[in-house]
Amino acid sequence: MILAAPQTWQMALGFGLFVGIWYLTSAVLKLPRFEKIPDPLGVLIEWLSWNPIYGLSIFTPDYYKHIGYSIYRAFTAFVLAVALGVPLGLFMGWSPLFRRFTFPLVELIRPIPPLAWVPFAILLLPGTEWAVIFVTFIAAFFAMVLNSLLGARSIDPVYFRAAQCLGFRPWDVFIHVVVPGALPFVFTGLQLAMGLSWFALVAGEMIAGRYGLGFMIFEGYSLAQYRNIIIGMGTLGLLGYASSAGVRMLGRRMMIWRERQLGGGAE
Amino acid sequence: MAVMGNDRFGEIEVRAVSKAFGTEAGRKLVLEDCSFTVTRGKLNVLVGPSGCGKTTIVNLLAGYESPTSGSVLLDGKVAGAPDWSRLVVFQESALFPWMTVLGNVTFGPRVRESMGRKAVRLEAMRLLDNVGLGEFAHKYPFQLSGGMQRRAELARAMINQPKVMLMDEPFRGLDAMTRELMQEYYLKLFEESGRTNLFVTSDLEEAIFLADRLIILTIPPTRVKKVLEINLPRPRRIEVLTSKQFLEIKQVALEALHEEALKAFSSDRKGAADLVEAFSKRVGSTPLVPGV
């Protein structure tokens, strides 16, 4: 029989301790302020139940409807943020003239917290659906702009010089030097933007959503269906983890040239 | 061993060039009335202490900077913005890390559409074979050793058929063994092509070993101290380093550099210590006068 690697045991121990303390405080000791916190066992039973007390489990269509809405919104906002933010940021980093026009403006708008955009978004856009997406987009967008800008500016000038004497036209320089050279930073931006998307999404859904995990959590609170709060939180944890892993995988594929550990064949 | 028909290659004339950096208040004169010729079909070597403005000279010749006064002429015409007529092999590796070796080598001709794709590829493979990197065409630069990266860079420059190659201390930072091998490689390539080369270094032995013409620079504000024609036979092998003729040339060059070191010393200039250190070390390392 093969024993699992020590890392696996250590990970299991970490999880075990966390759940154990949670169970102890909420179900066994029932500490003050913890009496309303659902215990892990109850949550798990509810989550996996054929017939959940509060109507949400992995066997109910409503649960997937919430997940579906959240993923759709987060993904739409994230894709829009990347599609618009990366070119803008790279261009700002590359062209000092363009940077002088846009950077002060970006720096002024960027610190406005995403949630402050909610009323504005509702006024501007038809229906609450796009307002939630817009708020999510704002959060991810500035992370992409700023990291792409830094990425373009971090490129060693020697590459621009080499490109210049090899006869690159400006567009070639942008496509073949700026874009790949900035990728490591763009990739950091992607990871940040992914996290910020979920963050802003859930907040947006709590305020303006009619479905989605943020709405589900808030409804769980309003209707005193506390187990649903934990189910929503757990689902968000899993989705966040999966999306980060997805972004990391994408990054590795984009940057084979940086994967030093893959390297072989040097003298 | 000159190759016939070297009129494909260029000649650069540096005419009374001065270059100053900084504002009016903190103005620093790097070059002053500096004149020399990068002779057609020859391996011209610029040698001088670190900080004497060698990289500035390369930047002026390549067109990355323009002179404060004076002019840089390529085949009699003012050399303008950087292009592939004067290609620089930089101090640090400037291979694009996100392209394979083959991608790097073929990129110049590809963006300029100067040859067909197939022809570019064939020529690139020929050049890579020539520098011993045929098997590494599809590797990324990080998968290559320092010496291999330098050879890939040589191939990337040569595929563009530059009129002049500008080598800005290209073997700096390589270990002694690799450096020696690279010098021999580079000499072989030069001796085969007869292309006009300007090679910049702060290593006197390297300079003499490679050079047809040795251009010795002064301390800043820099000008030309002395030009020596090096008539060591070609093809050159590393053994030439211990020949009587080599040591005599070295002696002459050292005297010129020693004068500069003294000047720097007496004027209490920063960099004087570097200069003295860089060259006195070599005085001690090999006998200056053969037989002593």
Side-chain angles (χ1 to χ4, degrees), chain A residues 155-156 158-169 172 176-178 180-182 256-267, chain B residues 59 64-65 82-84 86-88 90 92-99 107-108 111-112 136 139-140 142-145 148 151 156 160:
Chain A
I155 299 169
D156 190 329
V158 79
Y159 298 130
F160 290 105
R161 292 192 159 185
Q164 206 183 352
C165 69
L166 287 171
F168 285 37
R169 286 155 303 208
D172 298 317
H176 297 291
V177 179
V178 177
I256 296 170
W257 51 275
R258 287 189 100 222
E259 283 288 304
R260 270 151 217 280
Q261 56 271 39
L262 277 181
E267 272 172 357
Chain B
N59 285 343
Y64 295 124
E65 283 165 21
D83 63 27
W84 54 98
R86 296 149 288 153
L87 275 184
V88 184
F90 295 93
E92 62 272 53
S93 173
L95 291 172
F96 300 119
W98 45 84
M99 294 178 198
F107 215 79
V111 293
R112 297 199 307 275
F136 295 88
K139 300 274 184 203
Y140 286 91
F142 77 87
Q143 295 168 305
L144 269 53
S145 69
M148 293 162 97
R151 281 183 268 152
R156 180 172 80 168
N160 298 285

Side-chain angles (χ1 to χ4, degrees), chain A residues 117-128 130-131 134-135 137-138:
Chain A
W117 289 88
V118 171
F120 174 87
I122 293 174
L123 290 176
L124 183 73
L125 297 162
T128 53
W130 278 101
F134 179 80
V135 168
F137 162 81
I138 284 286

Side-chain angles (χ1 to χ4, degrees), chain A residues 53-129:
Chain A
I53 307 167
Y54 302 126
L56 289 172
S57 80
I58 59 167
F59 298 108
T60 61
D62 269 358
Y63 177 63
Y64 294 103
K65 196 165 183 181
H66 288 303
I67 291 178
Y69 265 93
S70 284
I71 289 179
Y72 158 72
R73 288 167 184 152
F75 189 72
T76 308
F78 180 74
V79 167
L80 279 175
V82 173
L84 297 174
V86 173
L88 180 69
L90 291 180
F91 207 65
M92 282 171 74
W94 183 43
S95 158
L97 181 70
F98 187 64
R99 184 162 64 244
R100 285 196 290 273
F101 273 107
T102 48
F103 189 65
L105 192 65
V106 166
E107 277 304 279
L108 199 71
I109 299 176
R110 192 172 62 88
I112 302 172
L115 285 188
W117 289 88
V118 171
F120 174 87
I122 293 174
L123 290 176
L124 183 73
L125 297 162
T128 53
E129 192 55 42

Side-chain angles (χ1 to χ4, degrees), chain A residues 25-39 226:
Chain A
T25 49
S26 56
V28 182
L29 302 173
K30 293 190 195 295
L31 294 176
R33 303 302 309 160
F34 278 86
E35 68 264 26
K36 282 186 187 142
I37 303 298
D39 69 276
Y226 297 141

Side-chain angles (χ1 to χ4, degrees), chain A residues 43 83 106 112 151 167 207 222:
Chain A
V43 171
V106 166
I112 302 172
I207 295 170
S222 314

